[in-house]
Amino acid sequence: QQQVKQSPQSLIVQKGGISIINCAYENTAFDYFPWYQQFPGKGPALLIAIRPDVSEKKEGRFTISFNKSAKQFSLHIMDSQPGDSATYFCAASDNYGQNFVFGPGTRLSVLP
Amino acid sequence: DAGITQSPRHKVTETGTPVTLRCHQTENHRYMYWYRQDPGHGLRLIHYSYGVKDTDKGEVSDGYSVSRSKTEDFLLTLESATSSQTSVYFCAIRRQGESAQGYTFGSGTRLTVV
């Protein structure tokens, strides 16, 4: 039972473009929404996270947009670079991070 | 990777043999997790631990057992390996605190069951 849906499965973007990855959840008890970045041969690494009391969080070129009523959140990567090429996972947890549920991942390729 | 070591990094084993994967942390975190990663499925929780000798099942626990006799070590055992358990296994710790909440993952163990 997939509690967090993620799309697209794969994404190809030109250098300098905007990459957008979308996630949707069902459990209204979720209260913490992180994004993880994974490079080949490595474990996922926490990239940016948001709580439902704000609608947007920005860290450098990475922005999370959050829509509580629609139960959706998205990752925007501005000015995408080839070094951003990786697999991105959205996740959600309740109880202030008790256990996380992950989306299936999006493989991003940024062309030079 | 931030105080988490997984061993071995790669292993090939035969169907029906027992296999134990080890996760070692140096930061005294209470919560530790084992996930498996498969194409199209993302990360799925196998088992987790919330303290020494305190463990619980995750989403895909069948065929796996865990043990945690010390805070720093969390072992994952495949009692009798099957081809469906060919996967990449990740251990994670859970960090607390406003600025660091979330998981820190190890580098993974690639297991092939032939």
Side-chain angles (χ1 to χ4, degrees):
Chain A
Q1 183 180 357
Q2 190 178 63
Q3 297 188 49
V4 178
K5 297 181 180 180
Q6 183 174 347
S7 63
Q9 186 175 9
S10 62
L11 180 62
I12 299 174
V13 174
Q14 293 288 337
K15 178 182 177 181
I18 302 173
S19 303
I20 301 174
I21 305 171
N22 300 298
C23 284
Y25 63 98
E26 299 170 356
N27 187 347
T28 55
F30 288 151
D31 58 10
Y32 183 69
F33 303 89
W35 284 88
Y36 286 82
Q37 179 188 55
Q38 184 183 29
F39 294 106
K42 302 292 185 180
L46 180 63
L47 183 63
I48 186 173
I50 196 168
R51 301 191 198 287
D53 54 342
V54 296
S55 61
E56 185 176 282
K57 183 174 182 180
K58 184 176 181 179
E59 291 184 3
R61 297 184 294 108
F62 300 90
T63 299
I64 299 178
S65 296
F66 186 81
N67 186 330
K68 187 174 182 178
S69 61
K71 292 185 287 185
Q72 296 175 347
F73 58 110
S74 60
L75 176 69
H76 297 236
I77 306 175
M78 311 300 289
D79 186 26
S80 298
Q81 299 297 311
D84 298 330
S85 297
T87 299
Y88 292 82
F89 294 95
C90 61
S93 72
D94 59 5
N95 195 23
Y96 209 70
Q98 181 72 10
N99 287 325
F100 288 90
V101 177
F102 288 85
T106 296
R107 178 173 287 186
L108 171 65
S109 298
V110 181
L111 304 179
Chain B
D1 258 316
I4 303 176
T5 305
Q6 290 186 234
S7 59
R9 289 297 313 275
H10 302 271
K11 186 170 182 66
V12 180
T13 191
E14 294 185 349
T15 298
T17 61
V19 177
T20 295
L21 309 182
R22 180 180 184 240
C23 179
H24 178 79
Q25 61 147 328
T26 60
E27 300 180 354
N28 204 35
H29 292 285
R30 179 182 174 192
Y31 285 84
M32 299 183 74
Y33 303 80
W34 277 107
Y35 281 84
R36 61 177 289 174
Q37 184 176 26
D38 305 286
H41 292 278
L43 293 151
R44 292 182 292 174
L45 181 64
I46 305 171
H47 281 279
Y48 67 99
S49 170
Y50 46 95
V52 173
K53 297 185 179 180
D54 291 324
T55 65
D56 206 347
K57 297 179 180 180
E59 177 188 359
V60 290
S61 59
D62 288 348
Y64 302 95
S65 63
V66 290
S67 66
R68 192 166 179 201
S69 58
K70 299 183 291 184
T71 298
E72 58 266 35
D73 289 324
F74 192 30
L75 304 180
L76 176 70
T77 297
L78 288 65
E79 304 291 347
S80 177
T82 67
S83 58
S84 65
Q85 294 176 311
T86 292
S87 186
V88 180
Y89 292 85
F90 287 100
C91 174
I93 59 171
R94 178 157 66 93
R95 297 184 178 279
Q96 293 298 105
E98 190 64 31
S99 62
Q101 188 160 343
Y103 289 167
T104 297
F105 286 88
S107 297
T109 294
R110 182 173 295 275
L111 177 67
T112 302
V113 183
V114 298

